[in-house]
Structure formats: structure tokens, C-alpha cells
Amino acid sequence: MDAWPRLPLEAWKDTLATLHRYTQVIGKVRLELAPMMNHWWQVALYVAARGLTTSPIPSGQGSFEVDFDFIAHELLFRTSEGEQRVLALEARPVAEFYRDVMATLRSLGIEVSINDTPQEIPDDSTRFSEDRHHAAYDPESVHRWWRAMVQADSVLKEFRARFTGKCSPVHFFWGSFDLAVTRFSGRPAPERPGADPVTREAYREEVISAGFWPGTAQLGGPAFYCYTVPEPAGFSTAPIHPRAAWYDATFKEYLLKYDDVRAASDPRRMLLDFLQSTYEAGADLAGWDRERLERPLTRARGAFVPEQPVPAP
């Protein structure tokens, strides 16, 4: 099995559009029921051993979770009371998926109402409950995308482990449909004029964010990215690795095509070089306190401990 599978955008763009909306339906359930966290971290999904998971969501005196299984192509609902429901992931309109998800939740005693308008999807305000246009689901393409996500998740977690300052989990945002990890300098960021509530909360602190997304037709397919907010002077021309990466002035991000990574002799090393060099460019130019934020860790006796013990106060 190819660890870094081919993922041509054109071959699964219709399935991608449908799956994007499927994940938004589940993500919005999590948004309504999970307690608010900084930077909207409570809304994200996570890469799991068979697909994506919400992780536990509070409900009444217990909790439940919803898993996308991209091996069996099922949507699984499990509760802390031991109940379980399963829906098939297959080609059918978003409206039917939305109807069945909400009915399944009610059957489990979970009452929730969501805003069923798509988020962060340009030029489409069709409500999920009325969307009969998006109805594609190619299991093979979805499985390939998920396997690519597994690889990206693993590398991003290794990259995250190098940073001991405030840092997000590696998580999947269903709005932008990307896997991301975000590092924080610990300093507040200037307020962004005209920012909506989501953007205002997400970027209230200085950040460097990196991740993986399916890309656009113009880009030609999936890519890895890294950006710094606020962007410091000189960031767009900083020396970064590998040579295949470039700064895109439209996105204001460094990009590295997934196809260049999967074709490399050592994809993992190429991707880590990209993540580290773009982070260093942003952190150095923005004057981050890297000595404090990158405190070395070492593994000892089965656990991580500081390399040099911190003196007692």
C-alpha cells in the first residue's frame, strides 16, 4: 500500500465538495454542544485510526462521539450509555445526510439544532437541509485522502513536539477543510479591522500556523502550507526549504505541493524541513522568544521530562 497515495483533485472534486458538507454537519453539532475554548479549538475534528472523530461531546449527564470510518465507509454514533447507531457513507444528497444525522441524534436522546448554512464555502449558501446538488461519494478517493491525512497528521505531531510554548493540537477544521497546528508567541496581536467573530478570536494572539489542505484547481491539487500572523517584514522572501516550496502572494502563505512531498526519496524529512524552515523564518523575523518557546524535552523512564530540571521556587 502506498503510504503517500496519489490524490489528484480533479478525480474527486465532486466527492470532496460533498464530504466537506458532511463534515460540516457533524462539526456544527460539536460547535453547538461543546464548551467554548480559546481560538475555537472545541469545534475541530481529529484524525483517527479509521477516519475522523469528534472525540467525546458533552450531552446531558454523559457524552457521545461521532466517527467517520473511511475504511468501512460508515458514520458511527456512540454514547457513554453504551448505545450505538451506524449510517452508511455513500453517494446521496447532503439534504438526506443532514436529515438522517439529526434523526439519529434524536433517537439517542440528543436534542440539538444547528445553523445549517455552509461555512467558509465561497458562492454557496444552500442550506444542508435543502442541498440535493452535492451527492457524490467515491469511497476509493475518500480513503486515499484519509491515508494522506494520516501521514500529514503524523508529521505535524512530530513537528508540534518540538515546541513547548502554547500550541494547538493537530486538528481538522471542517470550515476550511484542512488539518492544522498553530504555535503561539505568547504576545497579543493587533486587532484585525473588520474581522468577523471567528477570525477575531482565532488571531487575537501572534501565531504561526501550518497544515495540509486539498488545494484548489488553480494550485493543481493538495498542498502543505505555513503562514505567520501578523506577517513580519521580509517573511515572503525568507530562505526556506525545500526548493520546491514558494511564497504565494495571494494566499500570503508558503506552499509545498503534496505531489512534491510524495515523490521525494524521504517525504517525511522533506515535509519536516518545510515546516521547520518556514516556522523559523516567521519566528525570527517577528522576534519570538525561541529559547523560551522551544525548551528541549527528553524521554526518560517512559515519560517526557525537562532536559534540565526547573529549580523549585
Side-chain angles (χ1 to χ4, degrees), residues 182-260:
T182 303
R183 295 175 170 187
F184 295 77
S185 72
R187 302 185 304 225
E191 186 171 343
R192 297 161 70 93
D196 59 53
V198 174
T199 302
R200 189 179 303 117
E201 173 60 30
Y203 296 109
R204 66 171 58 249
E205 300 176 34
E206 294 180 346
V207 303
I208 297 176
S209 190
F212 172 66
W213 65 305
T216 64
Q218 293 81 0
L219 183 60
F224 298 93
Y225 66 80
C226 181
Y227 62 84
T228 300
V229 175
E231 183 178 304
F235 181 66
S236 63
T237 57
I240 56 108
H241 304 289
R243 291 182 179 179
W246 79 99
Y247 181 85
D248 189 289
T250 301
F251 294 113
K252 294 189 178 300
E253 301 175 354
Y254 277 101
L255 298 174
L256 175 62
K257 289 186 176 181
Y258 171 79
D259 283 345
D260 288 327

Side-chain angles (χ1 to χ4, degrees), residues 3-18:
W4 298 81
R6 291 183 65 255
L7 196 60
L9 183 62
E10 186 64 27
W12 80 299
K13 63 180 182 179
D14 292 339
T15 290
L16 169 59
T18 303

Side-chain angles (χ1 to χ4, degrees), residues 159 162-167 181-185 206-210 225-228 232 235 238-241 254 271-295:
F159 173 65
R162 300 174 177 180
F163 193 80
T164 53
K166 176 181 173 180
C167 189
V181 63
T182 303
R183 295 175 170 187
F184 295 77
S185 72
E206 294 180 346
V207 303
I208 297 176
S209 190
Y225 66 80
C226 181
Y227 62 84
T228 300
F235 181 66
I240 56 108
H241 304 289
Y254 277 101
L271 180 52
L272 282 169
D273 285 348
F274 171 74
L275 297 170
Q276 186 66 30
S277 65
T278 50
Y279 158 72
E280 289 180 356
D284 289 342
L285 290 168
W288 284 28
D289 184 355
R290 292 184 56 195
E291 183 175 355
R292 176 179 63 85
L293 297 170
E294 300 169 34
R295 176 173 53 87

Side-chain angles (χ1 to χ4, degrees), residues 112-146:
V112 60
S113 177
I114 69 171
N115 173 1
D116 71 337
T117 300
Q119 303 293 129
E120 301 182 55
I121 299 180
D123 306 319
D124 187 4
S125 59
T126 306
R127 293 183 176 277
F128 302 140
S129 55
E130 301 170 354
D131 188 347
R132 306 197 67 82
H133 173 67
H134 297 98
Y137 189 91
D138 175 40
E140 183 180 349
S141 293
V142 173
H143 185 71
R144 286 201 305 268
W145 165 75
W146 167 70

Side-chain angles (χ1 to χ4, degrees), residues 13-152:
K13 63 180 182 179
D14 292 339
T15 290
L16 169 59
T18 303
L19 184 62
H20 193 171
R21 289 158 176 81
Y22 284 4
T23 62
Q24 290 209 0
V25 171
I26 301 304
K28 289 190 176 207
V29 170
R30 181 169 163 85
L31 168 63
E32 290 297 326
L33 296 176
M36 179 68 188
M37 293 179 65
N38 50 211
H39 316 296
W40 302 97
W41 291 353
Q42 85 282 5
V43 309
L45 307 180
Y46 305 92
V47 174
R50 296 179 66 93
L52 290 173
T53 183
T54 60
S55 76
I57 301 171
S59 177
Q61 299 300 309
S63 66
F64 72 99
E65 62 186 17
V66 185
D67 291 349
F68 287 88
D69 184 331
F70 296 134
I71 295 177
H73 298 284
E74 295 175 335
L75 188 68
L76 292 90
F77 300 75
R78 297 188 180 96
T79 76
S80 54
E81 287 74 32
E83 293 191 79
Q84 179 171 307
R85 303 285 190 277
V86 180
L87 296 177
L89 289 173
E90 58 189 0
R92 58 176 174 156
V94 169
E96 293 183 9
F97 177 85
Y98 170 78
R99 177 200 64 200
D100 290 349
V101 165
M102 302 310 287
T104 299
L105 290 171
R106 286 193 298 271
S107 78
L108 292 168
I110 300 165
E111 294 295 333
V112 60
S113 177
I114 69 171
N115 173 1
D116 71 337
T117 300
Q119 303 293 129
E120 301 182 55
I121 299 180
D123 306 319
D124 187 4
S125 59
T126 306
R127 293 183 176 277
F128 302 140
S129 55
E130 301 170 354
D131 188 347
R132 306 197 67 82
H133 173 67
H134 297 98
Y137 189 91
D138 175 40
E140 183 180 349
S141 293
V142 173
H143 185 71
R144 286 201 305 268
W145 165 75
W146 167 70
R147 283 168 45 210
M149 289 267 286
V150 168
Q151 295 297 326

